[in-house]
Amino acid sequence: MQEIYEVSEIYSRLKRRKLTVSVPGSKSITNRALLFAVLAQGESILKGALFSEDSRYFLSCIRGLGFEAQADEENQTIRVTGLGGRIPNNGVSLYVGSAGTAARFLSAFLGMSEGRWHMDSSEQMRRRPMKPLLDTLIKLGAEIAYEGEEGHFPFLITGHGVRKNEISVNIEHSSQFLSALMISACLAKNGMKLMAEGTHGMAYIDMTAAMMEEFGIHCHITECEKGRTYEIDPGQVYQAREYPVEPDVSAASYFFAAAALLGITVTVKGVSLRCKQGDVEFLRILERMGCRLSENEQGTVLSGPVGGLSGICADMHACSDQAITLAAIAPFALQPVTITGIGHIRYQESNRLAAMTAELRRMGIRCEDHEDGITIYPGEVKPALIRTYEDHRMAMGFALTGLRAAGIRIEDPGCCRKTFENYFTVLDQVIRDLTEEPVKIGTVDK
């Protein structure tokens, strides 16, 4: 039976106007750090790590490959013993679920190693693009035997080591293709020079390069006429270390957006405006819409505007995961909101551009989608059951709309387990704190 979460409208009955929230660790950083730890020699300790469906699939895969990985969820700690690039278990089958980072990062790691492995995924991940990365791995010397549609899961991957040290990869559909190759480039005995075809997701690629440096491998980044090149010199090795995982700015952004929507002040513990994550740019967008942004000893503080949110034209290529979040609060802005730089989100967990357009119209909101984005006009939100398309960001983002408009219900709230499994429990607590009214924590209608 389908679960439905009904959001409690609280704009008309706020009792408190200040709130402090904690969010889990960054998914992007946790899953990168897991592979760095596997490639290093010795034990690494990840502190503040995320435990969600995506990170658990990643953990399951590295254990399947024979690596020792101990997880302490209560203390948000993961211990991983790396073997300097050696993979203990050959010939095993791995299941990555719907985790894009596990799918892309592990495919590159295996394709640039020596051995044979079977890889499969959820139906959702089977629909998502993999071909540019897999084609690049073939050029580097790997063999891919597809069991279904070419360029998609499931497949058998056979690695023969890296047989080429200069390659390009198209990243228009996902920056993870390049990040995956960068992380495992240390396996190339003669070093590796990578050329990015496209400019999508550069903030995530910058994050990858910064984390590589923190684990002991330097990546030379050069701007050239055709784009950027990334060069990893031979002989470099990852260093096992204790590594603090930043709080997830993607998760924090929902509560910052709630502050903008409700005209309140929200502090998210541990979040810094200088963090590695590209979604910090979303906070700057909210600032341009009239919010006030600052930091204190606890974390980052955002206060909503006194006179209402201003409309904006925002290029969200650096923080495209928050395009849905901005779309969800856009109907309450004083002027239209135009989002650009997000054409690639058609190829993520869902066709997010089509999904947000459909759900805005379901709520009676006028919007116009275009090749690279969407324009949303102010309007009165009508009660609606929001479809989530098995996409965690649709569920989390459009729940915010219901904080200000009555009658908003969210289909399949459990899809949030992919990255923020207790999101709706935290949201219920936020509602209770702001209204000082009893709320049944985690309630859903079935």
Side-chain angles (χ1 to χ4, degrees):
M1 186 177 291
Q2 184 70 62
E3 286 189 329
I4 305 294
Y5 178 94
E6 184 160 356
V7 190
S8 178
E9 184 276 317
I10 63 172
Y11 184 65
S12 61
R13 50 193 176 92
L14 289 171
K15 299 285 176 51
R16 295 176 57 196
R17 306 195 71 84
K18 289 188 177 181
L19 182 72
T20 299
V21 181
S22 296
V23 296
S26 165
K27 178 197 75 170
S28 299
I29 291 178
T30 296
N31 285 354
R32 281 167 172 76
L34 282 173
L35 188 50
F36 293 138
V38 161
L39 285 161
Q41 182 70 49
E43 184 183 76
S44 292
I45 304 171
L46 312 185
K47 293 193 169 183
L50 171 70
F51 287 93
S52 69
E53 188 175 82
D54 274 15
S55 61
R56 291 190 185 100
Y57 276 124
F58 208 125
L59 270 170
S60 175
C61 287
I62 64 176
R63 286 170 175 154
L65 291 170
F67 294 97
E68 184 180 342
Q70 300 173 344
D72 180 350
E73 295 201 17
E74 184 177 349
N75 294 304
Q76 300 177 316
T77 300
I78 303 173
R79 294 174 178 267
V80 178
T81 302
L83 299 172
R86 183 174 65 85
I87 301 176
N89 292 347
N90 195 357
V92 297
S93 184
L94 305 177
Y95 184 78
V96 301
S98 297
T101 46
R104 280 73 180 258
F105 293 177
L106 290 171
S107 292
F109 176 39
L110 300 179
M112 297 169 78
S113 300
E114 294 185 15
R116 178 177 294 177
W117 301 271
H118 179 262
M119 299 194 73
D120 201 356
S121 71
S122 69
E123 285 298 324
Q124 184 193 71
M125 190 65 221
R126 286 185 181 191
R127 296 190 295 269
R128 294 177 66 184
M130 286 287 295
K131 194 173 189 301
L133 174 62
L134 297 175
D135 284 351
T136 302
L137 291 173
I138 291 169
K139 292 175 184 176
L140 290 173
E143 297 177 61
I144 310 288
Y146 295 107
E147 296 180 4
E149 184 181 354
E150 182 180 343
H152 294 269
F153 284 95
F155 53 82
L156 185 69
I157 185 166
T158 304
H160 301 286
V162 181
R163 297 179 174 178
K164 193 174 182 181
N165 67 347
E166 190 169 329
I167 199 80
S168 63
V169 61
N170 189 298
I171 61 171
E172 284 303 321
H173 288 172
S174 177
S175 64
Q176 290 174 358
F177 301 153
L178 178 57
S179 284
L181 295 166
M182 289 168 62
I183 292 170
S184 292
C186 61
L187 298 173
K189 294 178 181 178
N190 297 318
M192 178 67 68
K193 185 175 183 179
L194 299 162
M195 166 66 76
E197 295 178 10
T199 58
H200 160 57
M202 302 310 287
Y204 287 97
I205 295 166
D206 291 343
M207 174 198 293
T208 300
M211 289 185 66
M212 289 172 64
E213 190 86 41
E214 290 173 328
F215 276 84
I217 288 190
H218 179 67
C219 178
H220 302 279
I221 303 174
T222 306
E223 300 283 352
C224 61
E225 191 174 317
K226 294 183 178 180
R228 280 188 185 180
T229 61
Y230 299 80
E231 193 164 359
I232 295 89
D233 292 335
Q236 298 188 83
V237 293
Y238 289 108
Q239 304 298 317
R241 57 163 296 178
E242 183 176 298
Y243 190 80
V245 176
E246 296 175 353
D248 196 312
V249 179
S250 297
S253 293
Y254 299 109
F255 303 104
F256 289 129
L261 187 66
L262 300 173
I264 63 173
T265 297
V266 169
T267 302
V268 182
K269 290 182 179 179
V271 170
S272 168
L273 296 175
R274 295 168 298 284
C275 72
K276 302 180 186 70
Q277 300 165 68
D279 274 3
V280 74
E281 182 60 27
F282 179 64
L283 308 188
R284 300 297 184 188
I285 291 171
L286 294 179
E287 188 176 38
R288 288 170 54 202
M289 296 177 76
C291 298
R292 287 163 290 146
L293 190 60
S294 62
E295 290 182 283
N296 61 24
E297 65 280 355
Q298 285 188 296
T300 293
V301 184
L302 188 134
S303 298
V306 175
L309 281 169
S310 300
I312 194 172
C313 180
D315 184 341
M316 297 190 73
H317 76 278
C319 54
S320 59
D321 277 349
Q322 297 311 314
I324 291 169
T325 313
L326 183 56
I329 66 173
F332 305 99
L334 301 174
Q335 298 87 25
V337 171
T338 296
I339 305 170
T340 65
I342 58 168
H344 63 278
I345 70 173
R346 292 184 175 91
Y347 308 98
Q348 295 184 311
E349 282 86 339
S350 65
N351 180 338
R352 287 179 172 171
L353 199 49
M356 71 170 80
T357 301
E359 300 316 303
L360 285 165
R361 290 172 178 164
R362 190 184 307 280
M363 295 187 293
I365 297 300
R366 178 188 166 202
C367 57
E368 299 167 354
D369 61 327
H370 41 89
E371 183 179 355
D372 199 34
I374 186 171
T375 297
I376 303 155
Y377 295 88
E380 182 179 349
V381 174
K382 298 177 181 177
L385 173 63
I386 303 300
R387 293 182 298 177
T388 54
Y389 307 85
E390 300 179 79
D391 190 330
H392 57 132
R393 303 221 179 272
M394 287 293 295
M396 292 188 283
F398 277 102
L400 299 175
T401 311
L403 296 178
R404 184 130 172 202
I408 298 300
R409 296 180 299 149
I410 304 298
E411 175 191 79
D412 187 22
C415 66
C416 294
R417 63 185 173 270
K418 188 174 193 295
T419 54
F420 194 168
E421 57 190 11
N422 66 334
Y423 173 78
F424 284 99
T425 301
V426 175
L427 185 62
D428 275 338
Q429 185 65 56
V430 164
I431 291 169
R432 185 171 70 174
D433 289 345
L434 291 174
T435 61
E436 297 181 352
E437 298 172 1
V439 174
K440 185 178 178 183
I441 302 300
T443 185
V444 292
D445 295 329
K446 295 185 180 181

